[in-house]
């Protein structure tokens, strides 16, 4: 008996198929015609033998030729019908998977960032790519093998009953017998298939991580350790795959072939005994053996596809597990007016895990056009404040507002429409320079792209590239320096003309010369904008209107640079430490 999750998975898979019910019904009707044409052949042969060849004196040559012509016509009709139904069913399966893959991709856009924080990228890629492809095999196996085989078996048994009722009743014992074997096969192989899919997902995650951090692996000579870790996963998958193949070998073609041989021998013995008393014609004997031989081909086809179908069912459960996660709908941006940019945190508390707050009673206000700097050691809560402001997470308590309106009342798209962000590790997409600035936003013209690059000081190096603004950018922008990538990401934020600009440690990977360019550009673009800066280099925030010093999730000091230096507290010590390191380095 299926458990509720299996019933739910089967029901949802059927739901996807019902979108194309008329196409599937049409294909099945064509299939019935094709099967009927195929199964008419042995009966025509039986008629030729019994009515035209067996009687003394021979038969009517014209009638024989007519029956042979009918036989050839049925073969042609069956061939055309099989091609048509196969094309319809398999193209339908592809359309179903296309829809499922898009539904999965849409839902991933809705899932909160917390899921991505705790899930390896490779596993998510495996769900979208590998598991949906496995589900495709399920639909194609089911519709191209299971359904076809069921229709063929139905037609064969109808023909058997027409020929000999008693022997046909005996042959009816075969389907329940094979069904029991299939149940046993599925029961034991699912354990191994589940482990195999899990290990494949783990290997994808590890491969993805290894490629991303390959410089670190090589620099710290971790190649052999990484290979050993991968070998453990690979070997576990191999061991379970061998076990699954063992179950398949014992319960598929071998047992079907053995049972088929025994049943055929029993039928031959039965007809041989009947022929001694002349109660059976040779034509019926030939037709019955022909139809009997055809019983086992659909059953073998089902067994051959059982593993694929079960693997696909396991994959479908994983896909639907993601699609069942709670997510927020991606709303349209709407017509929310451009905010002034007044940001206020009022006694905000937040934690990524229940009972482990990373922010405790955070309160501050950034007025229009002000620059607010957040400083503190790693883990003090700086990035968490930005994540809350962008609506990536919801505060546990307290309120965050923009222009006096609680940000939870905005749609996420409307909230972020007038925010620009530059991260410490700038990400560039595969495309060209101008695309990485405009991101295909129709409202941003090429002139605006050039102006944004010019404002951040990136225009000189871009124009020196072989293709200028059309210069191709490979994935992650690895052909550009970190400073160049950072300048392009600055230009991207500025091109969208945000009212709130967020710099998340954006100058941490910039050299001193590039930092000077960015500082100069910020003086221009921050005018009229509220700017929040997370800074490691305290020298970059000397001109900030307000500096918030965080320690263990709380604001322990606040004020401008001069006020905090005069206080000689935590900020003073941090600044002196950095200044000292700079001096010693020189």
């Amino acid at each position: 008996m299926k458990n509720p999750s299996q019933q739910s998975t089967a029901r949802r898979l059927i739901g996807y198929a019902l979108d194309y019910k008329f196409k599937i019904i049409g294909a099945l009707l064509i299939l019935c015609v094709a099967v009927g044409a195929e199964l008419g052949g042995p009966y025509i042969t039986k008629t030729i033998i019994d009515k035209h060849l067996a009687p003394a004196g021979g038969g009517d040559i014209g009638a024989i030729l007519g029956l042979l012509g009918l036989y050839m016509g049925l073969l042609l009709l069956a061939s055309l019908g099989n091609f048509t139904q196969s094309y319809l069913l398999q193209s339908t399966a592809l359309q179903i998977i296309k829809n499922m893959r898009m539904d999965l991709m849409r839902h991933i856009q809705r899932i909160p960032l917390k899921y991505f924080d705790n899930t390896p990228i490779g596993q998510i890629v495996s769900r979208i790519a590998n598991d949906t492809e496995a589900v495709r095999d399920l639909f194609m196996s089911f519709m191209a093998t299971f359904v076809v085989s069921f229709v063929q078996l139905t037609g064969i048994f109808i023909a058997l009953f027409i020929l000999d009722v008693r022997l046909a009743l005996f042959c009816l014992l075969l389907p329940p017998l094979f069904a029991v074997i299939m149940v046993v096969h599925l029961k034991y192989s699912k354990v191994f298939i589940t482990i195999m899919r899990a290990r494949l997902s783990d290997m994808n995650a590890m491969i993805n991580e290894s490629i991303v951090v390959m410089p670190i692996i090589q620099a710290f000579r971790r190649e052999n350790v990484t290979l050993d870790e991968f070998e453990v996963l690979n070997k576990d998958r191999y061991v379970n795959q061998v076990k699954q193949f063992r179950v398949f070998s014992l319960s598929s073609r071998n047992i079907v072939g053995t049972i088929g041989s025994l049943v055929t021998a029993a039928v031959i013995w039965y007809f041989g005994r009947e022929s001694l008393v002349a109660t059976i014609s040779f034509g019926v004997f030939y037709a019955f053996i022909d139809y009997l031989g055809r019983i086992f081909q659909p059953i073998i086809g089902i067994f051959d596809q059982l593993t694929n179908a079960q693997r696909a069912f396991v994959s479908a459960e994983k896909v639907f597990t993601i699609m069942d996660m709670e997510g927020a709908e991606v709303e349209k941006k709407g017509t929310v007016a451009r905010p002034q940019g007044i940001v206020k945190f009022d006694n905000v508390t937040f934690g990524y895990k229940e009972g482990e707050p990373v922010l405790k009673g955070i309160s501050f206000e950034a007025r229009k056009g002000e620059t607010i700097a957040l400083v503190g050691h790693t883990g003090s809560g700086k990035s968490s404040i930005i994540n809350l402001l962008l609506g990536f997470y919801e505060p546990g308590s307290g309120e965050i507002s923009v222009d006096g309106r609680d940000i939870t009342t905005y749609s996420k798209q409307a909230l972020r429409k007038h925010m620009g962000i530059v991260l410490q590790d700038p990400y560039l997409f595969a495309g060209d320079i101008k695309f990485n600035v405009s991101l295909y936003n129709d409202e941003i013209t090429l002139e605006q792209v050039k102006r944004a690059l010019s404002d951040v000081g990136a225009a000189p190096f871009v124009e020196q590239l072989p293709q200028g603004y059309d210069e191709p950018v490979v994935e992650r922008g690895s052909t550009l320096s970190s400073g160049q990538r950072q300048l392009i990401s600055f230009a991207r934020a500025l091109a969208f003309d945000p009212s709130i600009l967020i710099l998340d440690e954006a100058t941490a990977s910039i050299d001193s010369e590039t930092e000077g360019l960015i500082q100069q550009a910020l003086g221009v673009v921050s005018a009229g904008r509220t700017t929040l800066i997370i800074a490691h280099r305290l020298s970059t925030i000397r001109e900030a209107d307000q500096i918030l010093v965080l320690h263990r999730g709380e604001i322990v000091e606040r004020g401008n640079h001069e006020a905090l230096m005069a206080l000689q507290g935590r900020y003073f010590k941090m600044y002196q430490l950095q200044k000292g390191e700079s001096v010693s380095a020189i």
Side-chain angles (χ1 to χ4, degrees):
M1 184 176 179
K2 293 182 179 179
N3 61 43
S5 65
Q6 289 177 316
Q7 292 174 342
S8 175
T9 300
R11 202 161 44 237
R12 293 169 74 168
L13 289 171
I14 292 172
Y16 274 98
L18 289 177
D19 290 339
Y20 300 93
K21 54 182 176 292
F22 295 115
K23 194 173 180 180
I24 293 173
I25 290 172
L28 294 180
L29 291 175
I30 295 173
L31 172 62
C32 291
V33 172
V35 170
E38 281 183 343
L39 297 180
Y43 198 85
I44 292 174
T45 304
K46 171 251 180 196
T47 303
I48 293 174
I49 293 173
D50 289 345
K51 291 189 176 181
H52 300 285
L53 298 182
D60 184 351
I61 298 299
I64 294 175
L65 292 176
L67 289 171
L68 290 175
L70 177 60
Y71 193 174
M72 296 297 293
L74 289 176
L75 290 178
L76 181 62
L77 178 62
S79 176
L80 180 62
N82 282 325
F83 168 79
T84 304
Q85 62 85 13
S86 177
Y87 176 81
L88 288 174
L89 291 178
Q90 297 199 31
S91 63
T92 300
L94 293 175
Q95 288 177 311
I96 290 170
I97 296 307
K98 176 177 70 71
N99 295 344
M100 179 180 290
R101 189 177 287 121
M102 282 306 304
D103 287 347
L104 178 59
M105 192 64 187
R106 287 191 192 97
H107 191 70
I108 284 177
Q109 310 298 321
R110 305 182 185 112
I111 297 176
L113 284 182
K114 187 175 182 180
Y115 170 74
F116 302 100
D117 292 340
N118 301 319
T119 307
I121 295 174
Q123 287 189 11
I124 302 173
V125 173
S126 184
R127 295 292 88 81
I128 299 173
N130 297 344
D131 287 327
T132 54
E133 199 66 16
V135 178
R136 177 186 67 85
D137 292 338
L138 172 63
F139 278 106
M140 295 186 74
S141 298
F142 179 78
M143 292 194 288
T145 301
F146 289 79
V147 174
V148 172
S149 297
F150 177 78
V151 173
Q152 287 176 334
L153 287 172
T154 302
I156 289 170
F157 273 102
I158 290 174
L160 290 177
F161 272 97
I162 292 174
L163 292 172
D164 189 287
V165 175
R166 286 177 298 172
L167 203 54
L169 287 171
F170 170 73
C171 292
L172 275 179
L173 296 174
L174 292 175
L177 175 61
F178 288 127
V180 170
I181 296 172
M182 288 179 189
V183 170
V184 174
H185 170 91
L186 292 173
K187 177 182 177 181
Y188 286 98
S189 65
K190 183 178 180 181
V191 177
F192 306 130
I193 290 174
T194 302
I195 296 174
M196 286 161 51
R197 298 304 296 179
R199 292 300 165 268
L200 178 62
S201 180
D202 293 340
M203 286 192 292
N204 284 339
M206 187 175 179
I207 290 170
N208 182 82
E209 182 184 63
S210 299
I211 292 172
V212 171
V213 299
M214 188 59 71
I216 304 297
I217 292 175
Q218 295 183 359
F220 287 90
R221 304 180 305 282
R222 297 278 300 174
E223 295 94 336
N224 290 333
V225 175
T226 302
L227 285 174
D228 290 342
E229 292 174 354
F230 187 82
E231 175 63 17
V232 171
L233 298 174
N234 196 25
K235 185 176 180 180
D236 191 28
R237 188 174 194 274
Y238 164 77
V239 168
N240 283 278
Q241 200 164 24
V242 168
K243 292 178 180 178
Q244 193 277 325
F245 279 144
R246 190 178 300 147
V247 172
F248 175 77
S249 298
L250 291 173
S251 61
S252 58
R253 286 178 174 267
N254 287 337
I255 197 165
V256 173
T258 301
I259 293 174
S261 299
L262 292 174
V263 171
T264 301
V267 170
I268 291 174
W269 174 82
Y270 171 83
F271 274 117
R273 181 173 59 83
E274 291 294 315
S275 63
L276 293 177
V277 293
T279 60
I280 195 81
S281 70
F282 181 74
V284 172
F285 173 69
Y286 166 82
F288 204 97
I289 294 296
D290 190 314
Y291 284 128
L292 185 62
R294 298 186 185 212
I295 286 180
F296 303 105
Q297 291 307 312
I299 293 174
I300 289 174
I302 291 174
F303 268 108
D304 286 347
Q305 293 298 329
L306 270 182
T307 300
N308 288 338
Q310 194 168 33
R311 183 187 302 120
F313 207 86
V314 171
S315 296
E317 289 177 348
K318 293 181 179 296
V319 169
F320 289 135
T321 296
I322 293 181
M323 293 176 69
D324 286 339
M325 291 181 179
E326 185 177 353
E329 200 66 37
V330 178
E331 310 96 335
K332 295 183 179 180
K333 288 180 285 190
T335 57
V336 177
R338 177 186 175 90
Q340 296 183 56
I342 303 171
V343 175
K344 185 177 181 181
F345 276 60
D346 184 10
N347 197 30
V348 172
T349 298
F350 167 73
Y352 294 99
K353 295 181 179 179
E354 190 71 28
E356 299 180 19
V358 295
L359 296 177
K360 308 167 188 174
I362 298 295
S363 295
F364 69 88
E365 182 175 1
R367 292 185 289 273
K368 178 181 178 181
E370 280 192 339
T371 296
I372 303 295
L374 306 174
V375 301
H377 61 76
T378 300
S380 59
K382 305 183 299 295
S383 295
S384 298
I385 290 176
I386 300 303
N387 287 335
L388 290 176
L389 178 59
L390 287 164
F392 292 149
Y393 300 90
E394 301 294 334
S397 62
E399 180 180 285
I400 305 171
S401 63
V402 173
D403 291 0
R405 177 179 170 182
D406 189 339
I407 64 171
T408 59
T409 64
Y410 287 91
S411 73
K412 301 302 182 186
Q413 299 298 302
L415 174 67
R416 298 165 190 158
K417 179 180 179 180
H418 298 291
M419 292 185 184
I421 184 169
V422 180
L423 302 173
Q424 177 182 4
D425 183 18
Y427 190 94
L428 298 187
F429 299 90
D432 56 31
I433 298 290
K434 64 179 185 297
F435 157 70
N436 271 282
V437 176
S438 68
L439 298 182
Y440 290 142
N441 188 323
D442 295 333
E443 299 175 2
I444 300 176
T445 65
L446 179 58
E447 289 304 315
Q448 289 174 302
V449 169
K450 292 180 178 180
R451 190 182 311 118
L453 288 166
S454 177
D455 287 343
V456 300
F461 90 78
V462 171
E463 291 172 355
Q464 289 176 4
L465 295 172
Q467 298 184 47
Y469 298 96
D470 296 318
E471 180 73 11
V473 176
V474 299
E475 185 180 359
R476 299 185 65 86
S478 57
T479 56
L480 301 172
S481 71
S482 60
Q484 290 172 335
R485 293 198 302 270
Q486 193 64 283
L487 286 174
I488 293 173
S489 67
F490 260 93
R492 177 195 299 159
L494 299 179
F496 281 79
D497 191 25
S499 59
I500 300 172
L501 183 62
I502 299 168
L503 308 179
D504 188 353
E505 299 176 324
T507 59
S509 59
I510 300 298
D511 56 65
S512 299
E513 181 179 354
T514 305
E515 180 183 331
L517 289 173
I518 292 176
Q519 289 296 109
Q520 184 179 356
L522 283 177
V524 176
V525 300
S526 62
R529 292 185 176 88
T530 303
T531 305
L532 279 79
I533 304 176
I534 293 178
H536 275 166
R537 293 185 182 183
L538 302 185
S539 60
T540 63
I541 57 170
R542 289 177 57 114
E543 304 303 319
D545 296 289
Q546 187 176 182
I547 300 171
L548 305 178
V549 183
L550 287 99
H551 179 65
R552 295 183 179 178
E554 297 179 294
I555 299 175
V556 295
E557 296 176 10
R558 68 177 76 205
N560 59 23
H561 174 74
E562 288 75 16
L564 292 176
M565 290 298 289
L567 188 63
Q568 295 193 2
R570 182 172 293 273
Y571 178 83
F572 174 84
K573 293 176 182 178
M574 293 169 61
Y575 189 83
Q576 290 295 106
L577 179 61
Q578 286 194 8
K579 185 178 179 181
E581 289 177 345
S582 177
V583 171
S584 63
I586 294 174

